[in-house]
Amino acid sequence: MQYHNITKDDMLNGDGLRVVLWVAGCSHGCRECHNPVTWDPDGGIIFDHEAKEEIFEYLRRDYIRGITYSGGDPLLLSNRSGITALAEEIKGEFPDKTQWLYTGYEWDDVKNLPVMKYLDVVVDGRFEVDLKDTKLHWKGSANQKVINVQQSLKGSTVVLHDE
């Protein structure tokens, strides 16, 4: 897995102060994407032990609420095993920290992936510039959903995350 950046003390990509891992690789090609530099799966740098330790260093801080995976697309096929392994390790090491993930895939296409058992919130769907609304909370366009993963997995309907 490759990544472009690790942001500390982020307040825009989930609730509370968060660490954000910006992975490389996205195949959606959303028009007017805010981060097209992350589309190339071979871009950025290799996610290694040092990068993981940088994330863990911040997750150890009491005021950090959790981690958000963004990009690029963390659920691009080439990112899935790396994100799943990282999410599992974070859940074991920091069980009280929340894990959010942004993806251009629709919930129905990814809800059965192994990573879902470690995630608290998924923001799904491609960014649609024609549906862009800067007043929306935690998403860029009206077609996207902010999903409570664990509640949604328990039933047959999507449960939205409380704002």
Side-chain angles (χ1 to χ4, degrees):
M1 180 171 70
Q2 308 265 110
Y3 77 105
H4 280 271
N5 193 24
I6 298 169
T7 304
K8 297 95 176 170
D9 300 337
D10 180 278
M11 293 177 53
L12 300 175
N13 294 286
D15 59 349
L17 285 172
R18 313 188 66 71
V19 175
V20 180
L21 174 63
W22 302 91
V23 301
C26 184
S27 60
H28 303 295
C30 300
R31 190 167 49 97
E32 295 188 31
C33 169
H34 76 282
N35 213 1
V37 69
T38 64
W39 290 2
D40 181 359
D42 297 319
I45 54 178
I46 294 174
F47 186 80
D48 59 10
H49 180 74
E50 286 181 20
K52 183 174 75 170
E53 282 306 311
E54 183 178 345
I55 289 171
F56 279 36
E57 175 188 336
Y58 281 88
L59 288 174
R60 287 184 190 101
R61 299 175 185 194
D62 290 340
Y63 64 88
I64 296 293
R65 184 98 182 253
I67 186 167
T68 299
Y69 309 102
S70 193
D73 195 325
L75 297 183
L76 184 71
L77 188 57
S78 59
N79 290 329
R80 290 180 185 180
S81 64
I83 289 294
T84 301
L86 181 59
E88 179 180 18
E89 190 170 352
I90 288 172
K91 185 57 108 179
E93 185 87 16
F94 306 98
D96 296 328
K97 303 287 184 173
T98 60
Q99 297 190 63
W100 286 50
L101 184 143
Y102 281 79
T103 182
Y105 295 101
E106 297 291 329
W107 172 250
D108 285 338
D109 297 326
V110 296
K111 67 184 179 185
N112 295 318
L113 293 177
V115 71
M116 292 302 164
K117 64 182 153 191
Y118 309 113
L119 301 178
D120 298 286
V121 176
V122 164
V123 180
D124 82 333
R126 294 168 44 104
F127 170 72
E128 299 288 344
V129 71
D130 296 335
L131 299 174
K132 179 179 178 179
D133 184 345
T134 57
K135 294 182 181 112
L136 296 171
H137 209 61
W138 296 315
K139 58 185 183 175
S141 57
N143 61 298
Q144 296 171 311
K145 297 181 296 297
V146 182
I147 299 167
N148 180 316
V149 174
Q150 299 310 311
Q151 290 297 313
S152 296
L153 291 175
K154 288 179 184 175
S156 59
T157 60
V158 172
V159 177
L160 298 180
H161 178 71
D162 296 330
E163 293 189 18

